[in-house]
Amino acid sequence: MQERYDFSQIEPKWQGYWEEKGMYQVDEDPGKKKYYVLEMFPYPSGNLHMGHVRNYSIGDVVARFKMMQGYNVLHPMGWDAFGLPAENAAIQHGIPASIWTRKNIANMKRQLKSMGISYDWRREVATCNPDYYKWTQWLFLQFYKRGLVFKKKAAVNWCPSCATVLANEQVVDGKCERCDSVVDKKELEQWFFKITDYADELLRDLEKLPGWPEKVKTMQFNWIGRSEGAEICFRTEAGHDLTVFTTRPDTVYGVTYMVLAPEHPLVAELVAGTPYEGPVKEFVQRVRKMSSIERAEQEKEGLFTGAYAVNPLNNERIPIWVANYVLMDYGTGIVMGVPAHDQRDFEFARKYNLPIRIVVQPEGADLQPDEMTEAFPAEGFLVNSGPFNGLDNKTAIAKITEYVEQQGLGRFQVQYRLRDWLISRQRYWGTPIPIIYCDQCGVVPVPEEDLPVILPEDVQFKPTGESPLKSMPEFTGCQCPQCGQKAVRETETMDTFVDSSWYFLRYCDANNDGEVFDKEKAGYWMNVDQYIGGVEHAILHLMYARFFTKVLRDLGLTTCDEPFQNLLTQGMVLKDGSKMSKSKGNVVSPEEIIKKYGADTARLFILFAAPPERDLEWSDQGVEGCFRFLNRVWRLVYGYHRQVQMVAPKDEALDEADKELRRMIHLTVKKVTEDIDKRFNFNTAISAVMELVHSLHDYRDQKAGGQENLPLVRFGLERLVLLLAPFAPHITEELWHALGNEDSVHLQSWPAYDEKALEQDRVEVAVQINGKVRARMSLPKDMPEEELKPVVLAEKRVQDFVAGKDIIKFVVVPNKLISIVVK
Ligand code: ANZ
Ligand code: ZN
């Protein structure tokens, strides 16, 4: 063993050793309990950033800890390798997207390996490889067969500078998330996945996920946005259907106007040939151009169409309007306006002088429309509502829905905010959608045996950035699989969220070229026991992955119905209080830190500086501190490593210092075990290990001159190394061997602790004199009162208060408190 801690020598050495032994390669073993730990796979941008380092360090602690606990641990890694940055590199610098991507993967893989993470690299996947996207395409076809894929014309968010469609969630404040250009609206034929078929199950099954953060489940809950209500059919005087969705059928007698979304197809019909036609059309066009976010921020605005509807419950004649606050893609795109009880309608009615009619009165009150300053949305009793007067409004909701159903005017209805998933992208660097268009046969799916539809890698971009696939006859030209005529290929590619919706299943059987994955293998490994990643994926990625898993279950491909049993959302890595980013210039490079201090220090710091869910503030001193700590551990082991080589355990009586050290060792094992296992409190686990190191140093100083109980010391050093192994895998491997062990430290069993050894021989007792604590004394545990009394009274600080006085009372609360009353 070297005297100096030289990480640059030992880290590559052990990485090589682990690789050579294939130590992290696992296969299904029915005799062993499995544990699947997964970090969200990265986009290969070129270099690891600190967020990655944090993510993978957390995952590696879990993986190594579970391995030592005896689980068969699956811990894979791969690359979310399609997407826009590669395409931008191709457009801007002329580097082919495939080359750019693969070069980045190689570099990041090298960086990951230098961190010493326990991945089974045989299972590596890259979503841009044909052996992966073949199966993404195959899954698309299975979805297609099941009726879960469809095409429709949709107003989409269009980023003019990226020349692509954006999902709603990629539009931030009306601008493209990636390039900040203002987003337009465009009508395009688009491919969708029917995720709404699973809305109810996606919502319900959130209950099956107690191991997810509440915050994430709430976000998913709201994203799905389930509302119960009724569809009620109003009619125009000209006889058109005007079906509304309302969550408040109890307010139907309070309707004073109807509103259509500007995009509603009926609008044009209602105004055709009337004086309202011109202004309404102009208004509609203006609103249509706005993004949904812009529109939401607009003041409510609308126009009368000149047409009237009839309220089917009281036959009242009510004016029909169009307004910007009604959305086409929610409910039916038509709303019944109830200004007295809906705040948006209230504001609209006040603005345009529409009548306000109260139909729900709060108990014991008498609201007057003219006096209202806002809508009354809460509970109460029905008024002005014909036969329903007097009912409490909850009951009225049920009764009116029932009535409407009986009369054939409508029905109970559940509405979701969740929209179908728009998956087509007008981009090049993505999984080609396996569809062929034939003049004769229409839309024809590519036959499974023709998969994969290969994405050409040697392509030329036009300066506009338009997908090169469109202008490649070699790609687009094909034969119709049904009629054999000349046909053309779809040139659109899939949203990269499709690629990442099933990669965790592919890891179970990553090299299978005959099947998407083997059902039995997936059956053994799934579901993921612990998933770890950023909270930015709380909605989309996690929802899509859950959706895919459920569809795959229904396709009979897997038996699992929730992909991720437990979820940990890690906090951000901050520098000077803000997120590390290139634009802020506050980035700390993992590669440099590893070069300067070694991977073990980098990992230890990042795990020690904050609990995993919290944000972590980068600190150079903190890194230095961790480096010094590892050096301290090194010196401690170095100092003893020869002496403790051969010591056999002996039964010799332990003295006080030995017993205290032994207690400390067991206590640390208990604390570290619980902190990792129950709470993932890695930071407090590490500080417990630090305390143990302190105790071992203290013990050595106390016994200077060779009085140490060497078997006990050896026991302590081994425990120390084992406990530290998941956090700092290289140094512990070196020290483990230096202590004379042959096998890898990471293949050892996680240490157990002895409850009995935790018991304290001495206890701290407070001594109260006339009600005030005057002293604290360390005393043998359970000391009988007659022995205890003279010892306590002889104590100097007690003497100061009792000398020369009468002792009236001497009360003992065992092992805690002694109360003395003197006069
Ligand atoms: C009448 C009414 C009276 C309403 C009342 C509410 C309160 P949630 O809960 O989010 O599902 N609405 C329906 N479709 C709409 C659309 N396309 N654009 C804008 N608003 C729409 O909201 C359901 C309520 O939102 C519906 O119930 C409807 O207004 C409105 F005292 O109907 B309500
Ligand atoms: Zn054909």
Side-chain angles (χ1 to χ4, degrees):
M1 184 187 183
Q2 296 216 330
E3 186 173 355
R4 198 173 66 89
Y5 168 42
D6 180 6
F7 59 84
S8 67
Q9 187 252 325
I10 63 173
E11 291 188 352
K13 176 176 93 184
W14 292 114
Q15 285 157 16
Y17 170 92
W18 299 330
E19 191 157 336
E20 202 174 291
K21 286 193 111 184
M23 240 171 66
Y24 309 119
Q25 298 182 358
V26 285
D27 292 299
E28 303 70 49
D29 178 352
K32 242 174 137 184
K33 272 187 81 179
K34 67 92 188 181
Y35 193 91
Y36 186 175
V37 54
L38 182 64
E39 299 106 53
M40 292 179 182
F41 67 168
Y43 178 77
S45 53
N47 281 292
L48 292 187
H49 57 63
M50 279 301 168
H52 292 129
V53 173
R54 190 174 194 193
N55 193 186
Y56 313 140
S57 298
I58 294 169
D60 202 40
V61 173
V62 177
R64 291 180 185 277
F65 175 70
K66 289 291 168 187
M67 208 162 103
M68 292 175 82
Q69 282 191 324
Y71 288 90
N72 196 23
V73 174
L74 175 58
H75 190 205
M77 179 42 82
W79 312 96
D80 190 10
F82 274 136
L84 211 54
E87 209 162 319
N88 288 339
I91 296 166
Q92 284 159 20
H93 310 296
I95 314 161
S98 60
I99 291 180
W100 186 86
T101 304
R102 298 212 166 85
K103 208 181 82 207
N104 288 346
I105 289 177
N107 189 49
M108 288 171 77
K109 188 169 174 180
R110 177 186 60 78
Q111 293 176 330
L112 270 178
K113 288 196 164 177
S114 79
M115 283 180 64
I117 315 261
S118 60
Y119 295 129
D120 179 353
W121 283 106
R122 295 173 312 164
R123 297 171 184 266
E124 177 181 6
V125 303
T127 57
C128 68
N129 287 345
D131 61 4
Y132 184 88
Y133 69 67
K134 170 180 178 175
W135 299 109
T136 308
Q137 292 172 338
W138 183 83
L139 287 169
F140 176 96
L141 296 177
Q142 309 314 306
F143 279 46
Y144 190 89
K145 276 195 261 179
R146 249 190 117 76
L148 291 168
V149 176
F150 66 99
K151 210 175 182 188
K152 75 169 182 203
K153 203 161 200 170
V156 292
N157 305 304
W158 177 262
C159 171
S161 105
C162 299
T164 192
V165 169
L166 301 175
N168 284 337
E169 36 294 336
Q170 293 170 310
V171 181
V172 179
D173 293 334
K175 291 182 186 157
C176 172
E177 171 190 71
R178 289 182 286 227
C179 75
D180 257 10
S181 318
V182 175
V183 172
D184 285 344
K185 285 265 158 173
K186 203 168 169 175
E187 288 269 328
L188 274 182
E189 282 274 333
Q190 299 286 306
W191 288 102
F192 288 85
F193 279 163
K194 238 177 154 189
I195 190 171
T196 52
D197 274 12
Y198 286 80
D200 215 25
E201 196 188 343
L202 288 167
L203 188 71
R204 237 183 314 122
D205 284 358
L206 288 173
E207 279 171 28
K208 292 186 185 165
L209 302 172
W212 281 37
E214 280 310 316
K215 183 181 64 177
V216 173
K217 285 190 281 187
T218 305
M219 283 160 91
Q220 296 229 338
F221 182 91
N222 293 333
W223 189 256
I224 297 168
R226 184 182 193 276
S227 300
E228 281 187 7
E231 277 188 3
I232 302 179
C233 181
F234 288 61
R235 261 171 205 287
T236 67
E237 286 183 324
H240 306 99
D241 260 358
L242 275 188
T243 301
V244 302
F245 170 71
T246 177
T247 47
R248 295 290 305 274
D250 56 320
T251 63
V252 67
Y253 285 81
V255 176
T256 57
Y257 67 99
M258 307 287 292
V259 216
L260 278 74
E263 300 89 337
H264 201 288
L266 204 59
V267 173
E269 253 183 81
L270 292 178
V271 296
T274 73
Y276 299 93
E277 185 165 11
V280 166
K281 278 198 168 158
E282 189 265 327
F283 171 73
V284 166
Q285 279 191 348
R286 187 154 52 81
V287 178
R288 260 178 191 243
K289 281 216 189 92
M290 289 183 216
S291 73
S292 40
I293 293 100
E294 243 183 307
R295 190 161 145 182
E297 285 164 356
Q298 292 284 310
E299 198 188 321
K300 286 174 197 57
E301 203 184 334
L303 276 181
F304 179 45
T305 62
Y308 286 85
V310 177
N311 186 331
L313 275 95
N314 57 12
N315 292 318
E316 242 175 51
R317 187 171 187 248
I318 40 185
I320 304 174
W321 287 61
V322 281
N324 61 354
Y325 73 98
V326 176
L327 308 172
M328 189 57 214
D329 66 352
Y330 188 68
T332 61
I334 310 176
V335 170
M336 60 183 215
V338 186
H341 304 291
D342 181 284
Q343 185 59 24
R344 291 164 302 178
D345 297 348
F346 182 84
E347 289 165 22
F348 192 77
R350 275 282 148 88
K351 178 166 177 181
Y352 293 106
N353 269 320
L354 291 158
I356 296 175
R357 182 189 303 151
I358 292 167
V359 289
V360 179
Q361 279 287 3
E363 179 146 39
D366 186 21
L367 293 179
Q368 295 301 323
D370 295 344
E371 291 159 15
M372 289 173 93
T373 54
E374 57 181 11
F376 173 70
E379 290 175 14
F381 293 87
L382 262 66
V383 295
N384 297 326
S385 297
F388 302 100
N389 279 340
L391 291 176
D392 73 87
N393 75 302
K394 280 250 169 77
T395 310
I397 289 179
K399 289 270 187 231
I400 293 180
T401 305
E402 198 184 297
Y403 174 79
V404 159
E405 280 183 347
Q406 278 166 4
Q407 300 294 309
L409 296 168
R411 58 198 172 97
F412 173 80
Q413 176 72 24
V414 176
Q415 193 62 52
Y416 296 93
R417 209 152 272 287
L418 183 71
R419 297 279 78 110
D420 280 324
W421 175 10
L422 194 170
I423 60 146
S424 33
R425 297 288 180 275
Q426 290 64 41
R427 306 302 321 179
Y428 154 69
W429 190 236
T431 302
I433 294 176
I435 287 287
I436 288 167
Y437 298 101
C438 166
D439 283 343
Q440 296 282 318
C441 315
V443 176
V444 183
V446 172
E448 286 176 20
E449 57 274 20
D450 293 348
L451 296 181
V453 175
I454 291 280
L455 184 69
E457 296 196 353
D458 184 17
V459 300
Q460 286 297 314
F461 273 91
K462 299 219 173 100
T464 56
E466 182 182 75
S467 168
L469 296 181
K470 287 196 169 172
S471 42
M472 287 181 76
E474 326 81 279
F475 177 78
T476 55
C478 62
Q479 269 194 342
C480 170
Q482 270 171 30
C483 71
Q485 301 272 324
K486 270 176 80 180
V488 291
R489 250 179 228 297
E490 174 63 272
T491 54
E492 299 196 338
T493 54
M494 295 185 215
D495 179 2
T496 56
F497 275 120
V498 179
D499 308 325
S500 55
S501 290
W502 71 281
Y503 75 110
F504 44 90
L505 284 155
R506 183 69 181 170
Y507 280 143
C508 299
D509 189 16
N511 300 302
N512 193 334
D513 50 20
E515 274 180 295
V516 61
F517 50 81
D518 179 78
K519 189 174 175 179
E520 301 243 313
K521 288 183 177 168
Y524 176 77
W525 291 116
M526 285 296 284
N527 50 14
V528 174
D529 294 275
Q530 184 64 56
Y531 199 30
I532 306 160
V535 74
E536 66 275 16
H537 292 298
I539 298 182
L540 294 184
H541 164 59
L542 292 170
M543 187 80 79
Y544 295 150
R546 296 181 61 219
F547 164 59
F548 255 64
T549 304
K550 290 175 189 303
V551 176
L552 266 61
R553 175 205 59 200
D554 291 346
L555 287 164
L557 296 168
T558 165
T559 47
C560 116
D561 57 16
E562 280 293 338
F564 314 122
Q565 195 58 50
N566 296 289
L567 173 70
L568 188 154
T569 49
Q570 79 197 62
M572 289 188 295
V573 183
L574 311 177
K575 175 95 191 291
D576 309 321
S578 51
K579 191 179 172 174
M580 284 189 187
S581 76
K582 282 208 191 101
S583 58
K584 290 214 187 75
N586 61 352
V587 174
V588 179
S589 139
E591 187 143 10
E592 277 167 31
I593 294 293
I594 291 173
K595 207 182 252 165
K596 189 161 172 203
Y597 297 101
D600 283 342
T601 294
R603 296 170 51 131
L604 195 70
F605 165 72
I606 236 168
L607 294 163
F608 178 56
E613 286 98 345
R614 296 277 189 78
D615 288 350
L616 176 162
E617 175 67 35
W618 183 265
S619 144
D620 292 332
Q621 294 98 300
V623 179
E624 284 281 351
C626 286
F627 184 60
R628 276 199 306 274
F629 168 70
L630 289 182
N631 274 285
R632 224 168 162 226
V633 173
W634 183 274
R635 284 198 305 276
L636 185 66
V637 176
Y638 180 80
Y640 279 120
H641 79 287
R642 284 197 198 85
Q643 285 162 281
V644 298
Q645 273 319 313
M646 289 307 197
V647 289
K650 46 182 178 179
D651 293 328
E652 235 174 66
L654 302 180
D655 68 16
E656 281 306 317
D658 298 341
K659 279 191 194 160
E660 188 49 32
L661 178 62
R662 193 186 58 173
R663 197 177 73 82
M664 188 65 193
I665 296 166
H666 285 277
L667 205 62
T668 308
V669 173
K670 176 177 158 89
K671 172 119 176 69
V672 174
T673 308
E674 290 177 353
D675 282 353
I676 298 182
D677 213 9
K678 294 197 184 143
R679 298 177 278 270
F680 288 165
N681 274 348
F682 304 141
N683 55 330
T684 54
I686 293 168
S687 57
V689 176
M690 289 174 169
E691 275 178 53
L692 175 60
V693 171
H694 188 75
S695 300
L696 283 159
H697 272 284
D698 262 5
Y699 177 84
R700 189 184 58 190
D701 296 347
Q702 228 175 320
K703 299 245 172 169
Q707 298 307 301
E708 294 102 323
N709 180 327
L710 287 177
L712 180 67
V713 168
R714 181 183 175 95
F715 176 75
L717 293 176
E718 286 200 344
R719 291 296 167 276
L720 163 64
V721 169
L722 290 166
L723 295 179
L724 202 54
F727 303 98
H730 309 87
I731 186 175
T732 48
E733 188 75 296
E734 180 74 18
L735 297 177
W736 183 249
H737 284 78
L739 287 169
N741 297 297
E742 294 283 316
D743 222 353
S744 168
V745 70
H746 304 293
L747 298 176
Q748 306 308 308
S749 295
W750 186 253
Y753 57 88
D754 180 358
E755 281 288 351
K756 282 251 291 292
L758 298 178
E759 279 174 20
Q760 241 169 334
D761 290 345
R762 299 182 76 83
V763 287
E764 182 167 292
V765 174
V767 184
Q768 261 185 10
I769 300 165
N770 289 352
K772 277 202 175 132
V773 176
R774 298 296 187 184
R776 290 182 194 280
M777 296 176 69
S778 168
L779 296 168
K781 206 177 163 200
D782 300 325
M783 198 179 194
E785 185 172 335
E786 58 280 14
E787 288 175 33
L788 188 124
K789 196 166 175 179
V791 178
V792 172
L793 292 177
E795 161 72 30
K796 162 104 184 34
R797 281 161 299 171
V798 177
Q799 270 291 307
D800 290 348
F801 292 94
V802 301
K805 302 198 173 143
D806 284 343
I807 294 180
I808 300 179
K809 258 191 192 167
F810 191 98
V811 182
V812 179
V813 181
N815 300 322
K816 284 213 177 85
L817 181 80
I818 291 159
S819 176
I820 307 172
V821 179
V822 292
K823 221 165 125 186

